[in-house]
Amino acid sequence: MAQRKELANAIRALSMDAVQKAKSGHPGAPMGMADIAEVLWNDYLVHNPANPKWVDRDRFVLSNGHGSMLIYSLLHLTGYDLNIDDLKSFRQLHSRTPGHPEYGYAPGVETTTGPLGQGITNAVGMAAAEKTLAAQFNRPGHTIVDHNTYVFLGDGCMMEGISHEACSLAGTMKLGKLIAFWDDNGISIDGHVTGWFTDDTPARFEAYQWHVVRDVDGHDPEAIRQAIEEARAVTDKPSLICCRTVIGFGAPNLAGTHDCHGAPLGEDEIAATRENIGWSHPPFVVPDDVYAGWSAKEKGAAAEQEWNATFAAYREAHPELAAEFERRMAGELPADWDSKAAGFIAAVNDKAETIASRKASQNTLNGYGPVLPELLGGSADLAGSNLTIWSGSEDINKGNGGNYIYYGVREFGMSAIMNGIALHGGFIPYGATFLMFSEYARNALRMAALMKVQSIFVYTHDSIGLGEDGPTHQAVEQTATLRMIPRMSVWRPCDAVESAVAWKAAIDRKAGPSCLIFSRQNLQHQERTADQIAAIGRGGYILSDCDGTPEAIIIGTGSEVGLAMEAAGALAGKGKKVRVVSMPSTDVFDAQDSTYKESVLPASVTARVAVEAGVTDYWLKYVGLNGRVIGIDSFGESAPAGDVYRHFGITAENVVKAVEELL
Ligand SMILES: Cc1ncc(C[n+]2csc(CCOP(=O)(O)OP(=O)(O)O)c2C)c(N)n1
Ligand SMILES: [Mg+2]
């Protein structure tokens, strides 16, 4: 049987050779972390290469995603469906081994990493999901949810601010099954980190109430093993194992320098490394005994078998819970979801309340929440403003399961934690802040869209309509820029009915994230027929019409739909034929067939005015270059909401004027 060093050297060889072949990539981190990975994967990680989606597998996250050849090597060597040709096509078009590990490509990659700091944060979400799911489903004598989350991270992740947000919260949440390995190699891209990163990292994590294993020689398998034992024994705190490593370990001339961080070693250095580590095999050739030493197929199949037996006993004792667990993990909505939601929407319509859409959102949570135990909510310290707590909300830290996370003031952390929860499975996470602070979270929103995960981002206080808090808090360009994130679905409902429909759409949307944008201020209830209620789900629809072909169309969203209706009424009084289109979701409307779109916005009607309390450019594609947009292209002002609207000319009178000028 191959020795540990030889097993680890297989990672080193595959990594340096794949990077060399691709003529780009990062050999340093995989070579430096190979020994740690070997011990973790061969002695501890519980997983089944034949079933990468087995629900109770341990999760492994490579937060320093630039070291992607490390995880590709591990998946290949342990027996996942990732063959040597996949490794040879590292970083090539349509390969399963893109430059950074991307969720949905190679089997076994649990999340997309590369934007430093987000992997560790996703891992916090996965660990929080595991803990919450365990509390919800395990029963005495029946432990069906019980897995660890392991994460590798480098100096870069440690320097990123989001690691503070996530790790601070992980300590408070006592995520005892989260075990992180810090690749303490003293190197980042610009060189030795002593000029820019001199934190006392162990003390920092102790201050977060983590269990810290200091000073582990990251090239000594026995020391690594002991550290993991120690970390696993501590179950009421997350653990950080501080591993001193040499970047590019094994490369005689480049190890320990930033030159091997992100460039091929070069043929000469690769030859010298082979010599140095005693790896005599040609590129991409791994001897059988090394493969045998790595294979996790048998162990993995046995582990899953054992779990299957545990689950069978659970099903025997708790058949309904078992069925519910399977439903949740499969991401299926309850059988009565559609009918319950439709009933709720109809009831909201009957009530005809004029309330803030953030309040309507909370009412919706009260309506949908009892049907959807998979909802795992939260807010970044704005629960009372975002109205994210509903009557069934319970803090997950209370220990009885729960379905609500107090994220604290951590917008970016919250959003990337939500992505980790969504990736883990079993939950639909929603999390909220003021729309303005979506900016703080932005890259996590992009990552949710890139990975196609169902995170629901709730944003309240959506415009100058929030009033007195002023321009620092008044979103102007945010809604438009969120709409520009590919695959992000964005809703800005105009009343309680549209708010309930928007929530329904976000919950139904399994293949990507949604942003739900709500107002602080009251919004007028709009009258609708049953057909119109059904049409809300098409993203844009005729809310009020004239007889025959309209002379002009007014398009509005959210709080400005009321203005559009008022303007249309005034214009009708002057004998004008005007249609009002409510467009709560431009992306959903854009995805409709052309016949429907033409029926709502006929090409022949060119006199069009859009009104939205935000930047105007976005609307030109709907009104055309000859159309008009009533919006705001500067920052807001601190004043009562009505005064701010008048100051910026976002008024029904101005909408009327714009239409008249076009006719
Ligand atoms: C958010 C973000 N900023 C910058 C980068 C570019 N980048 C990739 S790796 C790296 C340095 C990382 O240093 P470390 O984690 O110590 O990696 P090592 O060199 O030790 O492999 C940087 C700045 C990135 N991937 N993500
Ligand atoms: Mg480093």
Side-chain angles (χ1 to χ4, degrees):
M1 187 62 104
Q3 299 296 305
R4 281 192 180 282
K5 271 291 166 210
E6 210 182 339
L7 298 180
N9 283 341
I11 295 175
R12 297 193 169 96
L14 289 171
S15 299
M16 69 181 180
D17 290 335
V19 170
Q20 188 68 29
K21 183 163 191 296
K23 300 194 189 73
S24 78
H26 302 76
M31 296 175 79
M33 294 197 85
D35 297 302
I36 306 165
E38 190 278 314
V39 175
L40 176 66
W41 278 59
N42 280 327
D43 291 14
Y44 294 98
L45 194 74
V46 179
H47 63 127
N48 182 6
N51 182 10
K53 294 285 177 194
W54 168 34
V55 293
D56 201 38
R57 69 191 181 278
D58 285 343
R59 306 303 197 265
F60 175 80
V61 174
L62 186 74
S63 191
N64 44 349
H66 56 278
S68 53
M69 270 313 302
L70 176 60
I71 190 164
Y72 296 148
S73 302
L74 288 163
L75 295 169
H76 169 70
L77 290 166
T78 54
Y80 283 77
D81 174 23
L82 194 70
N83 61 38
I84 201 76
D85 289 330
D86 290 315
L87 302 197
K88 286 181 188 166
S89 55
F90 179 49
R91 295 189 155 231
Q92 305 309 305
L93 192 63
H94 303 316
S95 81
R96 297 202 292 163
T97 49
H100 291 84
E102 289 194 51
Y103 181 65
Y105 286 65
V109 169
E110 302 278 6
T111 178
T112 299
T113 51
L116 297 171
Q118 283 191 72
I120 173 70
T121 308
N122 296 158
V124 168
M126 292 174 190
E130 192 271 350
K131 189 174 178 180
T132 307
L133 202 65
Q136 291 181 354
F137 283 96
N138 289 347
R139 289 292 179 273
H142 296 279
T143 304
I144 58 161
V145 181
D146 183 13
H147 51 267
N148 291 305
T149 303
Y150 296 105
V151 48
F152 283 8
L153 74 165
D155 304 300
C157 292
M158 287 294 188
M159 284 184 256
E160 287 292 350
I162 190 175
S163 71
H164 166 69
E165 296 185 18
C167 296
S168 156
L169 185 60
T172 301
M173 291 167 98
K174 304 190 196 322
L175 299 177
K177 289 189 192 162
L178 174 66
I179 299 180
F181 297 78
W182 170 34
D183 185 30
D184 177 16
N185 61 16
I187 294 287
S188 64
I189 290 184
D190 282 352
H192 290 272
V193 299
T194 43
W196 48 89
F197 180 45
T198 58
D199 300 1
D200 182 345
T201 297
R204 171 187 163 197
F205 277 73
E206 279 163 2
Y208 292 154
Q209 300 161 73
W210 283 49
H211 176 75
V212 177
V213 189
R214 291 168 178 253
D215 275 330
V216 176
D217 178 347
H219 300 294
D220 174 355
E222 186 47 32
I224 297 161
R225 215 187 50 76
Q226 276 176 27
I228 297 175
E229 288 291 332
E230 183 182 327
R232 285 164 54 97
V234 177
T235 55
D236 60 346
K237 291 175 172 189
S239 290
L240 178 72
I241 302 179
C242 304
C243 304
R244 274 178 288 103
T245 65
V246 177
I247 190 169
F249 185 92
N253 304 299
L254 296 180
T257 74
H258 63 135
D259 295 325
C260 66
H261 160 91
L265 298 183
E267 297 293 357
D268 292 349
E269 182 73 355
I270 285 180
T273 305
R274 278 196 149 68
E275 182 81 8
N276 192 35
I277 63 177
W279 185 268
S280 55
H281 320 289
F284 302 106
V285 173
V286 177
D288 287 347
D289 67 323
V290 174
Y291 273 125
W294 271 108
S295 177
K297 286 182 179 172
E298 266 178 45
K299 253 189 319 185
E304 188 175 347
Q305 283 282 313
E306 197 183 314
W307 184 84
N308 287 341
T310 305
F311 192 73
Y314 179 78
R315 191 199 303 283
E316 191 79 4
H318 306 283
E320 280 174 20
L321 265 181
E324 177 70 353
F325 180 77
E326 286 180 320
R327 178 188 76 75
R328 292 264 301 265
M329 293 312 291
E332 283 162 12
L333 292 165
D336 59 351
W337 158 243
D338 280 332
S339 62
K340 287 267 170 62
F344 177 78
I345 292 165
V348 172
N349 186 61
D350 290 346
K351 254 190 170 174
E353 281 182 306
T354 288
I355 52 177
S357 54
R358 63 178 170 139
K359 180 66 189 160
S361 167
Q362 186 181 44
N363 291 349
T364 305
L365 286 168
N366 275 312
Y368 295 169
V371 198
L372 295 173
E374 54 266 61
L375 283 179
L376 182 48
S379 159
D381 202 42
L382 286 169
S385 298
N386 300 145
L387 300 182
T388 42
I389 294 181
W390 59 281
S391 62
S393 292
E394 196 187 325
D395 183 356
I396 66 164
N397 286 335
K398 292 269 153 65
N400 316 314
N403 57 3
Y404 194 85
I405 299 177
Y406 287 89
Y407 283 104
V409 193
R410 301 180 178 96
E411 296 82 9
F412 191 13
M414 170 178 74
S415 306
I417 287 172
M418 287 164 61
N419 292 345
I421 292 168
L423 286 160
H424 179 278
F427 296 100
I428 300 175
Y430 69 90
T433 181
F434 290 149
L435 176 57
M436 176 53 68
F437 305 127
S438 62
E439 301 270 325
Y440 271 50
R442 195 157 187 96
N443 200 262
L445 309 192
R446 185 173 191 275
M447 294 304 288
L450 179 62
M451 292 191 279
K452 308 184 182 146
V453 298
Q454 189 180 21
S455 295
I456 301 180
F457 303 104
V458 176
Y459 296 125
T460 69
H461 298 60
D462 70 344
S463 70
I464 54 170
L466 67 84
E468 292 84 346
D469 275 346
T472 57
H473 285 51
Q474 291 169 349
V476 170
E477 73 278 28
Q478 283 64 36
T479 300
T481 60
L482 291 173
R483 289 181 182 129
M484 288 177 150
I485 300 175
R487 216 182 279 140
M488 178 66 77
S489 195
V490 179
W491 288 82
R492 185 171 185 256
C494 77
D495 69 359
V497 179
E498 282 193 5
S499 298
V501 173
W503 262 109
K504 168 83 166 54
I507 287 161
D508 285 341
R509 186 167 198 255
K510 292 282 156 195
S514 300
C515 292
L516 303 180
I517 296 178
F518 297 118
S519 70
R520 170 179 184 264
Q521 74 276 24
N522 281 353
L523 304 183
Q524 176 68 44
H525 167 77
Q526 301 296 336
E527 296 293 332
R528 292 178 190 83
T529 64
D531 283 349
Q532 284 174 312
I533 292 175
I536 298 171
R538 308 191 77 157
Y541 62 100
I542 302 166
L543 178 61
S544 103
D545 214 357
C546 51
D547 288 332
T549 307
E551 294 169 89
I553 298 174
I554 306 171
I555 309 168
T557 81
S559 40
E560 286 68 64
V561 168
L563 295 181
M565 291 295 282
E566 201 183 322
L571 286 159
K574 297 181 182 188
K576 303 290 181 205
K577 298 203 310 187
V578 178
R579 166 181 295 182
V580 175
V581 169
S582 177
M583 182 94 69
S585 176
T586 56
D587 60 279
V588 173
F589 179 73
D590 290 351
Q592 301 302 311
D593 60 74
S594 51
T595 313
Y596 178 75
K597 285 190 279 192
E598 171 67 19
S599 75
V600 176
L601 297 177
S604 61
V605 184
T606 56
R608 299 181 185 188
V609 174
V611 55
E612 183 176 68
V615 290
T616 57
D617 274 12
Y618 186 82
W619 287 100
L620 294 178
K621 76 173 183 174
Y622 299 100
V623 299
L625 293 180
N626 296 322
R628 293 280 299 275
V629 185
I630 309 284
I632 162 171
D633 286 312
S634 63
F635 298 107
E637 292 286 352
S638 167
D643 293 348
V644 187
Y645 267 90
R646 276 187 293 280
H647 172 76
F648 286 105
I650 302 175
T651 60
E653 297 78 64
N654 277 340
V655 175
V656 170
K657 220 165 87 191
V659 171
E660 285 176 332
E661 281 165 13
L662 288 175
L663 290 179

